[in-house]
Amino acid sequence: MRHINNDGHDGHDGHDGHNSKLQVLIQPNIGLDSDVRHSVVGILNNTLANEAVLTLKTRSAHWNVSGAGFLELNILFNSQYEQLNDISDEIAERARMLGGIAIGSLQEFIKYTRVEEQPGVVPDILRLLADHEASIRFLREDARKCTEEYEDEGTFELLVSVMRLHEKMAWILRSYIENEPIHGESL
Ligand SMILES: [Fe+2]
């Protein structure tokens, strides 16, 4: 196991063949102060936890789908699961680009998620839709913070792209359960 000490050095004592004295973390010199990078990595890890929970819930929906529209919903949930999986990769990579550690354990995902876990419940379209919409609201606020408070345009753009992906998935899920729009009906 690799531990990072407060002095930024790897915690190995050399018995595994690594010389800890040679392993120094190089802080990114990219125009963002370390406290800003720390705060933004926190936002990214919260986002990663949301994505992990929603990814798993979407996968559960895919595994357990039944009834009318089985095949189509089976394919839809699988495609959304894969998209969520891919976007998590980009969020984790950004945490590393900012000098942070991307969380990657179930305990941490549960600790940091703002999307509710529901053990014993197979998520239906309405539940997934509500989770996407909650994620969109969090992402909108987090993206605003990244640009206005932290001036990190790179993370801002990533979070906006994640938000747009959720907006699209939410629209597709909503379309399955809403009636045909009445011509001329206002929002
Ligand atoms: Fe499958």
Side-chain angles (χ1 to χ4, degrees):
M1 190 189 287
R2 180 171 167 248
H3 295 288
I4 306 297
N5 297 333
N6 287 338
D7 61 0
H9 290 78
D10 201 293
H12 288 302
D13 57 9
H15 294 311
D16 60 359
H18 294 279
N19 182 343
S20 64
K21 291 194 176 70
L22 295 178
Q23 295 180 334
V24 178
L25 290 182
I26 300 170
Q27 296 299 316
N29 181 11
I30 56 174
L32 296 171
D33 291 344
S34 71
D35 55 337
V36 163
R37 286 188 283 104
H38 185 80
S39 300
V40 174
V41 167
I43 286 177
L44 289 165
N45 275 331
N46 278 333
T47 309
L48 204 49
N50 284 1
E51 299 301 325
V53 171
L54 189 44
T55 302
L56 197 52
K57 286 171 91 167
T58 302
R59 201 163 194 206
S60 170
H62 163 73
W63 283 334
N64 294 295
V65 68
S66 63
F70 167 83
L71 190 57
E72 193 175 338
L73 286 178
N74 186 282
I75 293 167
L76 171 71
F77 292 143
N78 194 52
S79 136
Q80 293 200 338
Y81 156 74
E82 286 174 353
Q83 290 175 65
L84 291 165
N85 218 22
D86 290 347
I87 206 80
S88 289
D89 228 42
E90 293 198 34
I91 297 163
E93 286 171 5
R94 178 103 197 134
R96 298 292 297 137
M97 287 172 209
L98 296 179
I101 301 280
I103 57 171
S105 75
L106 295 178
Q107 282 185 6
E108 286 165 307
F109 290 148
I110 292 298
K111 184 175 172 191
Y112 294 112
T113 184
R114 292 165 290 180
V115 171
E116 199 188 337
E117 262 268 279
Q118 292 169 302
V121 176
V122 174
D124 58 10
I125 289 183
L126 258 182
R127 187 66 253 169
L128 292 177
L129 173 60
D131 287 344
H132 280 284
E133 290 181 336
S135 299
I136 290 163
R137 296 193 297 273
F138 288 126
L139 283 159
R140 195 180 300 288
E141 178 57 21
D142 287 343
R144 188 200 59 74
K145 262 191 218 163
C146 282
T147 184
E148 288 180 12
E149 289 176 34
Y150 302 126
E151 298 181 344
D152 177 358
E153 300 301 320
T155 302
F156 167 77
E157 281 200 4
L158 172 62
L159 294 183
V160 168
S161 74
V162 178
M163 184 181 79
R164 290 183 60 179
L165 183 79
H166 282 288
E167 285 176 334
K168 188 160 187 178
M169 288 194 269
W171 159 61
I172 291 170
L173 292 172
R174 208 179 289 119
S175 299
Y176 274 89
I177 47 179
E178 70 186 1
N179 297 323
E180 272 183 55
I182 299 165
H183 192 67
E185 193 179 66
S186 61
L187 292 172

